[in-house]
Amino acid sequence: MRMPEAATGSTVPRRQLGRYLRQLRNDARMTINVAAKALEWSEAKMWRIETGQTSLRSLDVEAMCRTYGAPDELREALMGLAKETKGKGWWHAYGNVIPDGFDLYIGLEEAAESLEEYSPELIPGLLQTPDYHRALLDKSRPDLQPDEVDRRVQLRAQRQSLVTRVTSPPTLGVVLNEAVVRRLVGGPEVMAVQLDRLAGMNERHNVSVRVAPFSAGAHRGFETGPFILMRFSTSGDGRDHEPPTVYVQGFTGALYLDKPHEIHRYAEAFTESWDDALSKDDSTALFRRTARKMEER
């Protein structure tokens, strides 16, 4: 039976909080029945919490974390996240609520059945080569020590396995501005390898990367800026297990949108940008052609 959504608040922090608490319970090797008895709650309440169907008081989260033996830092972070489940909208500023290793976006990305991304400036993270990623870090985070750069590159590589996994990989549709293809991030050699990577990924059945050429003129992406629309699996009757979510990354934080009218507008914008872009085959040819030119420099 489909449970009703909570009356207020974005579902995004509720769903992610539920995932974290379910993971903590599993790590503690406790069944829902055992955990419910320890907390003196019903199994139905536990199910609603872990599936993001209800908001939580921070005191309830504290009780669950103590029952599961969660470390103090994580307990405090999840208590902070619980307070956000009652908000009408939700901004997540990096380092403000979720500690390292518990990134909200990555959890949503892992659960998504499809991702549709418009990227006007950079190659999306799921498609970046290690050297392209390093070049971005050199520019945006020159304060990082070499070992921290290595760790971030390794984490990015782990994220990318999502697209190439054998079992039920998500579909990934990307629209890039042509400027992304031409921009020399890391120099000609780095970009040549990166463009060959895009061409290779376009050979996968679940990946389609298309380029919005300069010749297309203005398109809807000019209004939206970069965004990722994530959709999740559906039940047997065609209903979403989780509502679609739009992720919009900003300079100091990220916005998560999941209201129906918001999803509709972004989905419409992506479709229009997609239709204005080159075909998958023509985009692949552009990647390979541009890579060869960069190798000749």
Side-chain angles (χ1 to χ4, degrees), residues 135-200:
L136 293 179
L137 291 174
D138 287 345
K139 187 68 175 179
S140 63
R141 294 296 308 274
D143 58 306
L144 293 178
Q145 297 298 313
D147 61 336
E148 175 63 15
V149 172
D150 289 342
R151 191 175 76 89
R152 290 179 179 236
V153 171
Q154 291 168 2
L155 288 173
R156 176 64 53 82
Q158 291 175 8
R159 272 182 59 203
Q160 293 174 345
S161 65
L162 171 75
V163 181
T164 58
R165 69 189 182 197
V166 176
T167 305
S168 302
T171 59
L172 174 63
V174 177
V175 176
L176 302 175
N177 271 350
E178 186 174 347
V180 178
V181 179
R182 309 290 183 185
R183 182 172 291 116
L184 288 176
V185 174
E189 292 184 4
V190 170
M191 277 305 299
V193 174
Q194 175 63 77
L195 293 173
D196 279 336
R197 170 75 182 278
L198 292 181

Side-chain angles (χ1 to χ4, degrees), residues 118 175 177 212-224 269 271-277:
Y118 171 64
V175 176
N177 271 350
F214 295 139
S215 60
H219 56 83
R220 286 294 298 279
F222 291 172
E223 296 180 65
T224 66
T271 297
E272 292 184 16
S273 297
W274 183 264
D275 290 343
D276 286 338

Side-chain angles (χ1 to χ4, degrees), residues 222-279:
F222 291 172
E223 296 180 65
T224 66
F227 68 89
I228 303 172
L229 170 56
M230 293 172 280
R231 299 185 186 275
F232 304 90
S233 61
T234 56
S235 58
D237 59 4
R239 295 186 178 184
D240 294 323
H241 283 303
E242 298 188 30
T245 301
V246 171
Y247 170 78
V248 182
Q249 185 172 359
F251 187 54
T252 59
L255 178 63
Y256 296 83
L257 306 170
D258 60 2
K259 303 297 187 294
H261 73 277
E262 295 168 336
I263 299 301
H264 174 75
R265 292 201 64 182
Y266 275 95
E268 185 179 64
F270 181 83
T271 297
E272 292 184 16
S273 297
W274 183 264
D275 290 343
D276 286 338
L278 300 175
S279 69

Side-chain angles (χ1 to χ4, degrees), residues 176 181 195 198-199 202 209 211 283-291:
L176 302 175
V181 179
L195 293 173
L198 292 181
N202 250 355
V209 185
V211 177
S283 297
T284 300
L286 176 62
F287 297 146
R288 296 198 186 283
R289 187 167 62 249
T290 307

Side-chain angles (χ1 to χ4, degrees), residues 17-250:
L17 179 58
R19 286 194 185 93
Y20 294 149
L21 293 171
R22 182 172 63 248
Q23 184 62 53
L24 286 173
R25 177 177 60 77
N26 288 334
D27 290 345
R29 298 183 181 278
M30 298 177 72
T31 65
I32 282 185
N33 177 268
V34 170
K37 288 181 179 178
L39 291 160
E40 298 184 352
W41 294 345
S42 68
E43 291 186 40
K45 178 176 179 178
M46 293 289 298
W47 183 86
R48 288 194 299 271
I49 290 171
E50 292 190 358
T51 55
Q53 301 291 342
T54 184
S55 297
L56 276 177
R57 299 182 307 162
S58 58
L59 289 178
D60 289 337
V61 172
E62 181 179 27
M64 295 177 78
C65 286
R66 291 191 184 281
T67 298
Y68 301 151
D72 292 343
E73 179 189 9
L74 180 56
R75 184 177 70 248
E76 292 297 324
L78 296 186
M79 288 173 66
L81 181 56
K83 295 176 182 178
E84 301 291 348
T85 66
K86 301 179 186 297
K88 293 183 179 179
W90 200 66
W91 281 88
H92 166 63
Y94 294 114
N96 191 35
V97 177
I98 305 300
D100 289 345
F102 282 85
D103 185 271
L104 173 59
Y105 172 76
I106 291 177
L108 292 172
E109 183 182 73
E110 283 285 336
E113 188 173 65
S114 70
L115 302 102
E116 296 175 335
E117 179 167 1
Y118 171 64
S119 184
E121 298 294 337
L122 299 170
I123 305 296
L126 288 176
L127 300 173
Q128 291 174 6
T129 64
D131 286 340
Y132 186 97
H133 187 202
R134 287 179 186 278
L136 293 179
L137 291 174
D138 287 345
K139 187 68 175 179
S140 63
R141 294 296 308 274
D143 58 306
L144 293 178
Q145 297 298 313
D147 61 336
E148 175 63 15
V149 172
D150 289 342
R151 191 175 76 89
R152 290 179 179 236
V153 171
Q154 291 168 2
L155 288 173
R156 176 64 53 82
Q158 291 175 8
R159 272 182 59 203
Q160 293 174 345
S161 65
L162 171 75
V163 181
T164 58
R165 69 189 182 197
V166 176
T167 305
S168 302
T171 59
L172 174 63
V174 177
V175 176
L176 302 175
N177 271 350
E178 186 174 347
V180 178
V181 179
R182 309 290 183 185
R183 182 172 291 116
L184 288 176
V185 174
E189 292 184 4
V190 170
M191 277 305 299
V193 174
Q194 175 63 77
L195 293 173
D196 279 336
R197 170 75 182 278
L198 292 181
M201 291 300 290
N202 250 355
E203 295 175 356
R204 297 188 58 85
H205 74 279
N206 62 315
V207 177
S208 184
V209 185
R210 301 175 66 167
V211 177
F214 295 139
S215 60
H219 56 83
R220 286 294 298 279
F222 291 172
E223 296 180 65
T224 66
F227 68 89
I228 303 172
L229 170 56
M230 293 172 280
R231 299 185 186 275
F232 304 90
S233 61
T234 56
S235 58
D237 59 4
R239 295 186 178 184
D240 294 323
H241 283 303
E242 298 188 30
T245 301
V246 171
Y247 170 78
V248 182
Q249 185 172 359

